[in-house]
Amino acid sequence: MTTARDIMTPDATCIGAQETVLEAAKKMADLGVGALPICGEDNKLKGMLTDRDIVVKVLAAGKDPGQTKAGELAQGEAVTIGADDDAREILRTMTEHQVRRLPVIDGHTLVGIVAQADVARSLPDPQVGDLLEALSS
């Protein structure tokens, strides 16, 4: 059984909820990623921030990325997956919530991120097609 821990990218780098969106964008560029988990001062996951969020909710809305806090863009409770959940549960969660990236939690600790591509590499071909179709519609 393939688990989230087996396929995740470990050591996810957070952006602090009080850090600016500009700092988040620079961190994304430095790391070569399109999303960062938003973590509070208590190191608990507050949400996910994507490059698309920055463009649509900050730049297109005329907000100043140097003044807008990452935490302002966190929307409700983050959708996560347990480190020991299997690939089918990851697939179900991504499909149900229409997300391409899932923070991986072990207890209350963020231990990694599972992206759509990670799942696609671990599933048999027919399930990969189902995932891509579900997330693209």
Side-chain angles (χ1 to χ4, degrees), residues 24 28 42 64 89 98 105 109 116 118-119 125-126 130 135:
M28 285 180 190
D42 56 2
D64 180 351
E89 180 63 17
Q98 293 288 292
I105 305 294
T109 304
Q116 177 182 348
D118 300 323
V119 179
D125 287 342
D130 292 346
L135 292 178

Side-chain angles (χ1 to χ4, degrees), residues 69-85:
K69 304 294 186 205
E72 294 174 35
L73 301 181
Q75 298 177 343
E77 192 170 325
V79 177
T80 63
I81 196 80
D84 296 320
D85 288 345

Side-chain angles (χ1 to χ4, degrees), residues 37-58:
I38 303 169
C39 296
E41 291 180 19
D42 56 2
N43 270 343
K44 289 197 177 173
L45 184 66
K46 303 296 182 195
M48 289 290 289
L49 177 65
T50 67
D51 47 8
R52 186 174 193 283
D53 292 333
I54 293 170
V55 170
V56 174
K57 297 175 183 172
V58 179

Side-chain angles (χ1 to χ4, degrees), residues 1-7 82-90 122:
M1 172 178 73
T2 301
T3 66
R5 190 183 313 273
D6 297 328
I7 63 174
D84 296 320
D85 288 345
D86 68 24
R88 289 177 205 261
E89 180 63 17
I90 298 167
S122 72

